[in-house]
Amino acid sequence: MGSRIFSLCIWFTVLLILNGSQAQPGFVSLDCGGTDDFTDELGLKWVPDSQMISGDIANISVANETRTQYMALRYFPADNRKYCYTLDVIPRNRYLVRATFLYGNFDKNNVYPKFDISLGTTHWATIVISDANTMEYQEVIFLAKEPSVSVCLSNATTGQPFISTLELRHFNGSIYMTDYENDFFMSVSARINFGAESDDPVRYPDDPFDRLWESDTIKKANYLVDVAAGTERVSTKMPIDVNTVNGEMPPQKAMQTAVVGRNGSLTYRLNLDGFPGFGWAFTYFAEIEDLDPSDSRKFRLFLPGAPEINKLVVNIQENAHGKYRLYEPGYFNLSLPFVLSFRFGKTSDSTMGPLLNAMEINRYVKRTEGSLDGPVISSLISHYGSSSWANEGGDPCLPVPWSWIRCDSDIRPRITSIKLSGLNLTGNIPSELTKLSGLIELWLDGNSLTGPIPDFSGCSDLQIIHLENNQLSGQLPSTLEGLANLKELYVQNNMLGGSVPSGLLDNGVILNYTGNVNLRKGESSRSRRKIIIGSSVGASALLLATIVSCILLQKGKKSSPKKGRVELNLPPQRFVSSLGDPATEAAHCFTLAELEEATKDFEKKVGSGGFGVVYYGKLKDGKEIAVKVLTNNSFQGKREFSNEVALLSRIHHRNLVQFLGFCQEDGKSILVYEFMHNGTLKEHLYGPQIPDRSINWIRRLEIAEDSAKGIEYLHTGCVPSIIHRDVKTSNILLDKNMRAKVSDFGLSKLAVDGASHVSSIVRGTVGYLDPEYYISQQLTDKSDVYSFGVILLELISGQEAISNEKFGVNCRNIVQWAKLHIESGDIQGIIDPALHNDYDIQSIWKIAEKALMCVQPHGSMRPSISEVIKEIQDAISIERGAEAVREGSSDDISRHSMHSSLHTGSMDLGASDHYLSIDESITKPTAR
Ligand SMILES: *[C@@H]1O[C@H](CO)[C@@H](O)[C@H](O)[C@H]1NC(C)=O
Ligand SMILES: *[C@@H]1O[C@H](CO)[C@@H](O)[C@H](O)[C@H]1NC(C)=O
Ligand SMILES: *[C@@H]1O[C@H](CO)[C@@H](O)[C@H](O)[C@H]1NC(C)=O
Ligand SMILES: *[C@@H]1O[C@H](CO)[C@@H](O)[C@H](O)[C@H]1NC(C)=O
Ligand SMILES: *[C@@H]1O[C@H](CO)[C@@H](O)[C@H](O)[C@H]1NC(C)=O
Ligand SMILES: *[C@@H]1O[C@H](CO)[C@@H](O)[C@H](O)[C@H]1NC(C)=O
């Protein structure tokens, strides 16, 4: 009760603060890129984002989108900066922030943007646009800790970051209070209105907090599929008692509709973005059907892998104490999968099937703490109110630093470099700078700073100080001598006086103090001694030696970011040696006689590929080899051949078939590789059916991971990078342990260094060929990603890339076929029967969805091979986890105990600093 009274007080304060400034108290609705204030058809008052000084405005026009806030957007340069909006909030209050993104091809580029957004310092979401006319949105619920919160866009990987609207909604209590809110945000994954009467979400003014209760009728991939037969939509006009003082329960309109399982079950499956993870999950029930007194409605929730949960029986009328009243059981901390399948099933003594009105699932996102220098730097910028550099917003270091700052990479970073050159700064050097204990470089040159140089002894790591071309006065402080790491000090063209501290002259600091009329060179203690001992010539020779050794030291020092200097940023040199005299380096030259003996005169043919026939061989030392005799026209000239060989000999990676040497004799061109005992992936997937050859799902995932790593090495580990151009199952070879290696790489041309693509004759294998490459002839690393996507589909389905019969009429291609099934939620329809249900469906979903991304028509929309690897690894860990459960070796589930306890949170004023790690806590259901 105390908490209610308290929140009431806060609420009145809020009203006082915000009254008059907004049509809806506690709401901020920013129309990014807009020009005028307006009120929309819902009654929400929108204001343009004129506080944002960065970025540009674009007007767009999207079919059937008439809302003013979606006619314009703001976009930002695709650089390594962040662009932040700052919203005023009240500490210790809870808010919803929603950001929306409608691309509308604003840049006339049709390159679908992909970038990150962060809330404060915490990564919030990666925005991936996949359709010009579809709006993407993200919502997050959080407890404010500071008087303001920033929403930042950064890290564009494709296109330019942009935003259509930014909305802030102030909660009133709230039902979203959790034990974890000091350390976690809640990212909204699903908020569903079941039995909805249109595709439009229920929101303001039905929901006083303008949450979006999404309609269950919307058609999108993997959203509420696998609906049980007998599911019926019901609705009522009767008022529903949502039993709430602060208005935060689902709105009546969402509760007036529901679905009922007439056959005894309600089932649904949907994807939960960002999961697997820990989440907050509540269901909302109200009896809205007229039941006979003799009827009863009792049911249980069944979640796969969580047998404990189905012990709880819901009896809506009994739990809610009557009809048309809300009952809201839920879990504050539940481990949920990426693909959530759930079922409500009636109990045997119930006459009616289950009923469901609404549901909410939020994912916990760990808050990242900000830079340790945050408070100092906010005090510093407060002196420079309107300057644009002082208004970049958010944390100085995270998720990316401000344009004039560099930070170290600690979890709580420190500022290492400040560059404020030529910005017309006036007044004294801000004393805050002396409190940045991690500072290494300071640039304040070319301003109009006056007054003395402060004491920098608190910045003991300082190496470089630029204060030249200001109007600084006073002396060069002797505290500068104490900076043990100081290497360069520039103070020329100021109004400094006195004498240069002798320590600075002695310590080999590069020092320029010309143009300070009253500043004299002091007497160096060491040179004085020298003068006593030797001649003045000796002294200057010593000085010269000092300067030279400094310059050498400078060169050897790790390069720190400095503007106006040329930085030699050499790419990593992973090749054994540079391109030069070919063939003579690491590549071993076999004689033809040697190879004839090893292969017993090319007796055993083990394969044939685009470039020639492969024979089995065994060298004298017992090493088994694969000998590839190239067809004559593969390589015209000797020179070309030796170039290719030189290249091959430099590529080494665990997941690439090892090249051992070559032979060019008698008009024959031969390449020698390590022998791979288990043949090609293709043989294993479709070869003559030997039962034990069929490979299980986890093995397939491992093969996918191995081969993706091989490709990743070609793309990112080689300089210049290499595009394989012929990625396919017959080019993935398996060793004794069934680990995969990629073969036939490097036989294609090197990708041209620096350019994003090279043009050459289209080459590749039908079924794996990137359609964009085929049309444009522009080859990029994304062409390999396309082919790899096809392999992923083959691994799931056990179907070849091209088939005349398997994929139905008018479809010869695995991509079209799989896409159709996956997008309609029917994954079972493509899973290889040879996998015998011995897999976790989630890991298959993960791979299936990534595979579809890989085979997107445009290269720019495909992920990089490194992103694909990450997804495969996630799938592997899901699968391993599931395997452990299947084998009964995990007690994870039995640990979750159930208490049907009432959640009695108290208004938390920062006293509850008991940190509870979500992973360790116990799942407890609750009903308020
Ligand atoms: C966008 O439209 C507004 C109002 O219609 C107009 O004032 C503005 O100049 C337009 N901006 C651009 C970039 O076209
Ligand atoms: C726009 O609305 C019209 C009429 O309601 C409809 O026929 C059309 O398919 C819609 N277009 C798009 C792109 O949604
Ligand atoms: C930027 O995005 C890429 C891929 O989307 C990711 O690998 C990288 O870590 C991100 N960088 C930052 C600073 O968040
Ligand atoms: C917020 O809560 C107070 C009482 O706790 C209530 O009077 C008020 O109507 C609520 N505000 C909204 C928007 O529901
Ligand atoms: C500095 O001031 C001068 C003169 O007032 C002005 O011309 C110049 O644009 C200013 N530079 C910056 C970076 O503000
Ligand atoms: C010192 O600064 C002056 C003025 O900027 C410049 O002309 C001179 O070359 C500098 N001397 C050294 C040794 O860098």
Side-chain angles (χ1 to χ4, degrees), residues 114 116 126 155 157 399-400 867:
K114 176 174 170 189
D116 290 344
T126 298
N155 196 19
T157 34
V400 289
E867 288 171 68

Side-chain angles (χ1 to χ4, degrees), residues 697 704 782 784-797 814-816 818-819 822-823 827 830 843-857 861-863 867-869 871-872:
W697 179 236
K782 296 295 179 71
D784 285 349
V785 171
Y786 182 93
S787 313
F788 191 74
V790 174
I791 293 185
L792 291 178
L793 295 175
E794 293 183 72
L795 288 170
I796 295 172
S797 65
I814 193 170
V815 171
Q816 282 166 279
K819 198 167 147 79
I822 295 170
E823 286 183 349
I827 193 106
I830 64 163
S843 61
I844 298 211
W845 264 116
K846 264 202 178 296
I847 299 300
E849 299 209 322
K850 212 57 181 185
L852 284 198
M853 297 296 290
C854 291
V855 297
Q856 293 266 32
M861 291 155 64
R862 297 174 202 149
E867 288 171 68
V868 179
I869 292 176
E871 206 71 11
I872 297 171

Side-chain angles (χ1 to χ4, degrees), residues 254-270:
M255 295 304 297
Q256 281 173 327
T257 63
V259 286
V260 178
R262 294 286 179 228
N263 297 357
S265 277
L266 283 172
T267 61
Y268 288 99
R269 175 160 57 75
L270 74 162

Side-chain angles (χ1 to χ4, degrees), residues 787-820:
S787 313
F788 191 74
V790 174
I791 293 185
L792 291 178
L793 295 175
E794 293 183 72
L795 288 170
I796 295 172
S797 65
Q799 299 291 343
E800 291 195 65
I802 292 284
S803 163
N804 283 328
E805 323 82 51
K806 300 269 174 57
F807 304 136
V809 277
N810 294 333
C811 185
R812 289 185 61 225
N813 187 314
I814 193 170
V815 171
Q816 282 166 279
W817 169 76
K819 198 167 147 79
L820 214 69

Side-chain angles (χ1 to χ4, degrees), residues 767-784:
Y768 295 90
L769 197 58
D770 169 11
E772 190 176 52
Y773 164 49
Y774 186 76
I775 293 162
S776 67
Q777 305 220 355
Q778 301 295 303
L779 186 69
T780 73
D781 52 359
K782 296 295 179 71
S783 305
D784 285 349

